[in-house]
Amino acid sequence: MSRPTRRPARRLAGGPSLRLSSRLAVPATALAVLLGSAAPAVPAAPAAPAAVPPGHVYFWAERGQMGPGGAWDYAPPGYREAEPRVKRHAYSFDSHASASVYAIHFRAGGGCLYREIRPDDYDDDWSDWATKFDGVSDTKMGCEAG
């Protein structure tokens, strides 16, 4: 009595038999769907700098309108001393004030300098004034142009 011959399972080059892969196809697909839905959400891209509202001037500690803690906000009238994170470290600004405002620098030996910031003016690399910035005012405060 001869033994019945079994047809060998087809094999893919270097892969498992088709018979085995067809048995695993459904569970593998179900697992992929489950894992895909359980995957953590991809973090959102960093937000663009906040829009400056009308009547305000924003100052940032880094170039490109960025920096830890976000923007420091000034709105006229009067003088405001800059917060420590941007005081003598304001590397960019964006103005939507309705009139000119003045960046103020107090000199070590006395006196002060001002730098005019006009409405709708901005600077993404304010390096020439960044380390002088002490505060901002809606007047020149008797300071010299700097």
Side-chain angles (χ1 to χ4, degrees):
M1 184 161 148
S2 70
R3 222 170 144 187
T5 57
R6 276 185 108 170
R7 180 180 223 160
R10 292 185 65 190
R11 295 190 179 268
L12 300 175
S17 73
L18 284 178
R19 188 177 308 159
L20 180 59
S21 64
S22 65
R23 276 191 250 155
L24 295 176
V26 172
T29 303
L31 184 60
V33 169
L34 288 173
L35 289 177
S37 64
V42 176
V52 180
H56 293 255
V57 184
Y58 281 6
F59 295 88
W60 288 270
E62 295 178 11
R63 291 168 185 85
Q65 300 181 12
M66 298 172 60
W72 176 70
D73 182 12
Y74 169 78
Y79 172 78
R80 278 190 55 208
E81 191 79 10
E83 286 183 357
R85 64 192 163 93
V86 293
K87 186 172 185 171
R88 304 236 171 153
H89 200 87
Y91 281 90
S92 55
F93 72 87
D94 189 0
S95 175
H96 287 249
S98 58
S100 287
V101 298
Y102 303 90
I104 304 294
H105 166 65
F106 296 104
R107 295 184 195 172
C112 57
L113 300 174
Y114 74 86
R115 172 70 58 95
E116 183 177 9
I117 298 173
R118 295 180 178 94
D120 298 319
D121 202 3
Y122 72 94
D123 197 330
D124 282 341
D125 187 0
W126 202 34
S127 296
D128 61 331
W129 188 259
T131 58
K132 297 176 184 176
F133 183 70
D134 288 314
V136 63
S137 178
D138 61 340
T139 69
K140 297 175 186 174
M141 296 178 51
C143 300
E144 299 175 35

